[in-house]
Amino acid sequence: MALFSVVCTYKTTKRAKPTDNKIDFRKFPEFYSSMIPDSLKYLIPIFDTILSDDQKYREINNPLLLEENKQEQIMLDSINTIKVDKILTKYGWLTYRQTGNKGNLALTSVLLHANLMMQEKYLPFLLEALKEKKVNGIFVSTFEDRLNARKHKLQRYGTQVVYYKDKPTLYPVLNIDSIDHWRKERGFLTPLEFTLENTFKSAFDRKEYKKILPVLIESWKIKDSF
C-alpha cells in the first residue's frame, strides 16, 4: 500500500518531465504583500525559490514525475529543510502578514515534505504556535496525521489516505466517530464524508470502514496510537 494526502493515478509510456511554469507563482493570490515589514522583505525571493524547488518534481496529476526523479527531489527537499530551519530558528513561526501567502505556503510545504527527524523537531513548535493562533489549524492537523502515519500510529483528523482494494480510503484513524468533532476544533469547515467524496468522487461509508479497519491496522503495522 502507499500513503497519500491526495491520491491520484497516472499512466504514461513517456518519461515524465517537469512542466514549465506548472505553477505560475507570479499569479499566485497574494493578499498580504503590502503588510510584510521591510525587515522581512528580503525573504520574498528566498520563499519563491523554496516553493519552486519544493514543487519541481511534484505534480498532482503525475506521480510518475516524482517517482522517476525521487533522488533529485530528495536533494531539493534537504536544501529547503536547511533554509526553512534557519528562518524558523531566527524568527519563530512567521504569520501570513510577515511572509505573504507564498511565503506561508513555502514554509508549510517544506515541513510536510521534511524528513522524520525534522518533523519530530517541529511538532511541539507548531503546537505552541497553534495555541498562540499564529498557524493554521488545518495545516497542523495534516502535519500531525502525516507524522503519525510515518511512525505507524493512528491518525486523528483523517487527512491521510491509502488504497484498499484499488479504492481510496482513510489511513487508520483513532476514532472515526469523534473525527468530525476533532476536525471542527482545528478549523475544518466540512464533514469528513463531504471532503472525501468531493475529492475522490466516491461515497465513504463509516460502517464499512469500521469493518475493514482491523485489516488496515494489520497491513500498516500500526503501533500504539499516541
Side-chain angles (χ1 to χ4, degrees), residues 6-17:
V6 178
V7 179
C8 303
T9 57
Y10 182 88
K11 294 182 180 179
T12 181
T13 57
K14 298 180 179 179
R15 180 169 177 79
K17 296 181 180 180

Side-chain angles (χ1 to χ4, degrees), residues 70-82:
K70 188 174 182 179
Q71 293 307 312
E72 289 87 348
Q73 188 62 60
I74 288 174
M75 180 62 69
L76 291 173
D77 289 347
S78 297
I79 295 170
N80 275 345
T81 296
I82 294 171

Side-chain angles (χ1 to χ4, degrees), residues 146-174:
R146 183 171 294 194
L147 178 57
N148 280 322
R150 293 182 75 175
K151 297 169 71 174
H152 296 275
K153 294 184 177 183
L154 299 173
Q155 67 168 327
R156 188 182 183 94
Y157 301 99
T159 66
Q160 306 300 295
V161 173
V162 294
Y163 274 121
Y164 175 73
K165 293 186 177 179
D166 296 325
K167 293 183 179 180
T169 192
L170 287 179
Y171 174 89
V173 300
L174 178 63

Side-chain angles (χ1 to χ4, degrees), residues 21 23-30 48 102:
N21 297 322
I23 300 178
D24 189 344
F25 296 117
R26 294 169 299 180
K27 298 180 180 179
F28 194 82
E30 186 57 81
D48 286 350
K102 287 189 291 184

Side-chain angles (χ1 to χ4, degrees), residues 39-57:
S39 61
L40 294 177
K41 285 183 178 178
Y42 81 95
L43 289 173
I44 294 174
I46 296 175
F47 284 138
D48 286 350
T49 299
I50 288 174
L51 193 52
S52 179
D53 287 347
D54 178 79
Q55 294 297 312
K56 185 168 184 179
Y57 297 109

